């Protein structure tokens, strides 16, 4: 793992006003994210982990604090800058895939490829995730695991520096989930992209270089794994 800092969060807070109730989703959270690491953000529902991921991904802005991606502070960025950041630097993998139902697997990936300069080959990326013979199928014709593999291909075709995964195995059975984790680990190991996985599944943390444990909107603990497990060895 390269320990050059890709992203630095400094005393980040996020507060929502829901009627008369003020909700502190994140409280004074500071975190460095390193180039080429596989980072797991772990915590139960309501711990702030998805809010943190949304801020890292430029999908939400902090209430206070700084979020530096290289030299750019996302907290101070305008809409156009955030759009370029999400488009060019970040790949997203969601729990429920977020594929466009009226497009085939190939077309879903090609849509993402068309957003950036110099993308990878759509067909080669789909083949790499084991869908070389399913490219012409629509999402409704694919299993949950196959749809998630399309989602990963859609993210990876852009050659992102940062791959953000929100509960990527949450809707899958254990065997399929391990296959998906294997693809994410391979993207980290072979392509060198930084992978951040948000999950409530403690077993997944065993494959990470580092684990951030979230509690009540704060990073309560950061754990370094000296010997991460391979995904196929993970049981839950």
């Amino acid at each position: 793992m390269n320990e050059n800092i890709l992203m630095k969060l400094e005393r980040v807070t996020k507060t929502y006003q829901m009627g008369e109730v003020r909700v502190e989703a994140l409280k004074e959270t500071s975190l460095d994210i390193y180039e080429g690491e596989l980072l797991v953000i772990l915590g139960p529902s309501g711990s702030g982990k998805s809010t943190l991921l949304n801020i890292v991904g430029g999908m939400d802005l902090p209430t206070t604090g700084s979020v530096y991606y290289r030299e750019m502070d996302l907290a101070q960025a305008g809409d156009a800058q955030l759009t370029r950041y999400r488009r060019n630097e970040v790949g997203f993998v969601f729990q429920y895939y977020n594929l466009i139902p009226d497009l085939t697997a190939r077309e879903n990936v090609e849509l993402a490829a068309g957003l950036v300069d110099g993308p990878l080959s759509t067909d080669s990326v789909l083949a790499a995730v084991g869908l070389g013979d399913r490219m012409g199928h629509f999402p409704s014709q694919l299993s949950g695991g196959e749809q998630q593999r399309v989602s990963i291909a859609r993210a990876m075709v852009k050659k992102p520096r940062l791959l953000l995964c929100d509960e990527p195995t949450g809707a899958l059975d254990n065997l399929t989930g391990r296959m998906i984790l294997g693809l994410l680990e391979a993207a980290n190991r072979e392509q060198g992209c930084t992978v951040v996985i948000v999950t409530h599944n403690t077993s997944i943390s065993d494959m990470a270089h580092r684990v951030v444990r979230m509690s009540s909107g704060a990073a309560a603990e950061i754990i370094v794994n000296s010997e991460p497990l391979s995904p196929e060895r993970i049981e839950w």
Side-chain angles (χ1 to χ4, degrees):
M1 181 185 70
N2 184 344
E3 292 200 356
N4 290 328
I5 294 174
L6 179 68
M7 199 160 200
K8 178 181 282 289
L9 289 78
E10 297 179 339
R11 303 183 69 179
V12 169
T13 71
K14 183 64 182 182
T15 303
Y16 298 99
Q17 195 71 36
M18 303 177 68
E20 297 181 358
V21 179
R22 187 170 179 267
V23 178
E24 290 184 285
L26 279 181
K27 305 172 185 175
E28 294 284 331
T29 296
S30 297
L31 176 67
D32 292 342
I33 299 175
Y34 299 126
E35 292 253 17
E37 78 168 325
L38 197 160
L39 178 71
V40 165
I41 300 174
L42 183 68
S45 177
S47 62
K49 61 186 188 300
S50 291
T51 301
L52 180 59
L53 190 78
N54 289 340
I55 289 173
V56 168
M59 294 183 287
D60 202 355
L61 293 175
T63 303
T64 62
S66 300
V67 184
Y68 288 100
Y69 178 81
R70 297 179 161 182
E71 302 301 320
M72 178 173 65
D73 185 358
L74 300 182
Q76 302 299 321
D79 288 344
Q81 289 176 297
L82 290 171
T83 297
R84 286 194 297 271
Y85 167 71
R86 292 191 299 265
R87 177 182 296 167
N88 297 319
E89 305 295 330
V90 186
F92 296 97
V93 178
F94 300 99
Q95 179 174 355
Y96 294 109
Y97 326 129
N98 286 13
L99 301 177
I100 298 175
D102 295 334
L103 299 182
T104 64
R106 178 188 280 114
E107 290 167 342
N108 267 279
V109 177
E110 284 177 340
L111 190 64
L115 296 174
V116 298
D117 295 328
L120 299 173
S121 158
T122 294
D123 286 4
S124 67
V125 174
L126 281 165
V129 299
L131 293 175
D133 60 346
R134 306 285 278 171
M135 297 184 195
H137 289 67
F138 292 95
S140 62
Q141 299 171 313
L142 301 172
S143 69
E146 288 171 333
Q147 290 183 65
Q148 192 61 296
R149 283 188 272 163
V150 176
S151 177
I152 292 171
R154 179 184 59 189
M156 294 308 301
V157 76
K158 300 193 305 175
K159 298 190 293 188
R161 288 184 177 273
L162 187 58
L163 182 60
L164 304 181
C165 311
D166 193 358
E167 297 283 6
T169 65
L172 305 174
D173 62 79
N174 293 2
L175 181 63
T176 307
R178 282 194 292 273
M179 180 189 303
I180 294 304
L181 294 176
L183 291 172
L184 298 176
E185 189 273 339
N188 170 255
R189 174 171 40 84
E190 296 172 5
Q191 299 185 31
C193 69
T194 299
V195 176
V196 179
I197 301 174
V198 159
T199 184
H200 67 277
N201 187 337
T202 56
S203 298
I204 293 175
S205 63
D206 291 337
M207 67 179 280
H209 297 128
R210 291 190 305 147
V211 180
V212 179
R213 291 186 178 274
M214 299 293 294
S215 178
S216 301
E221 185 180 16
I222 298 178
I223 302 164
V224 177
N225 278 345
S226 58
E227 296 183 5
L229 289 183
S230 60
E232 57 268 20
R233 293 178 58 193
I234 292 176
E235 299 285 348
W236 68 84

